[in-house]
């Protein structure tokens, strides 16, 4: 048995050309509508992501996995003794406390 189904693309191409000719005056409007739709989808996605609730279990697991900072008490004592003994270091400490951005 032969496959007698044949697809003729000429009527489809003619219909497509007619549709393009009918929509040609509205190309600017269609482009603007497409950009507005894409922009509104982006805005909606940003809005949904900015209002997302944080899972407390995920936060606690992240906090537990991060190492805690530890300062050596001997280093603290050494800095305190340097501050107390040297006038130059003492002025540097005071200056940085009053204006840390200089």
């Amino acid at each position: 048995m032969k496959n007698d189904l044949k697809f003729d693309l000429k009527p489809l191409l003619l219909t497509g050309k007619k549709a393009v000719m009918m929509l040609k005056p509205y190309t600017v409007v269609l482009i603007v509508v497409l950009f507005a739709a894409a922009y509104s989808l982006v805005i909606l996605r940003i809005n949904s992501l900015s209002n997302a609730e944080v899972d407390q279990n995920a936060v606690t697991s992240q906090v537990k996995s991060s190492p805690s900072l530890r300062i050596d008490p001997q280093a603290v004592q050494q800095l305190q003794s340097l501050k107390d003994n040297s006038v130059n270091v003492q002025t540097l400490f005071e200056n940085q406390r009053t204006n840390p951005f200089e």
Side-chain angles (χ1 to χ4, degrees):
M1 225 177 164
K2 258 184 159 177
N3 192 359
D4 290 332
L5 295 177
K6 291 184 180 180
F7 293 108
D8 194 15
L9 294 179
K10 286 185 181 181
L12 186 62
L13 288 175
L14 289 175
T15 307
K17 284 182 182 179
K18 285 181 184 177
V20 167
M21 293 306 263
M22 285 177 48
L23 295 175
K24 202 169 195 174
Y26 305 108
T27 54
V28 174
V29 174
L30 290 174
I31 290 172
V32 169
V33 167
L34 287 175
F35 277 122
Y39 187 71
S40 64
L41 287 174
V42 168
I43 295 296
L44 288 174
R45 183 70 177 149
I46 290 172
N47 189 24
S48 68
L49 289 175
S50 68
N51 293 332
E53 293 184 21
V54 179
D55 183 24
Q56 276 305 104
N57 293 332
V59 171
T60 55
S61 68
Q62 287 290 328
V63 168
K64 287 180 182 177
S65 67
S66 65
S68 61
L69 297 177
R70 193 176 137 275
I71 298 174
D72 188 22
Q74 187 178 6
V76 172
Q77 274 184 334
Q78 188 175 8
L79 285 173
Q80 289 294 332
S81 67
L82 283 174
K83 178 187 165 209
D84 293 338
N85 293 336
S86 176
V87 176
N88 291 335
V89 174
Q90 190 173 7
T91 57
L92 283 174
F93 274 103
E94 292 301 320
N95 188 20
Q96 292 300 321
R97 281 194 188 126
T98 56
N99 194 358
F101 298 109
E102 277 190 7

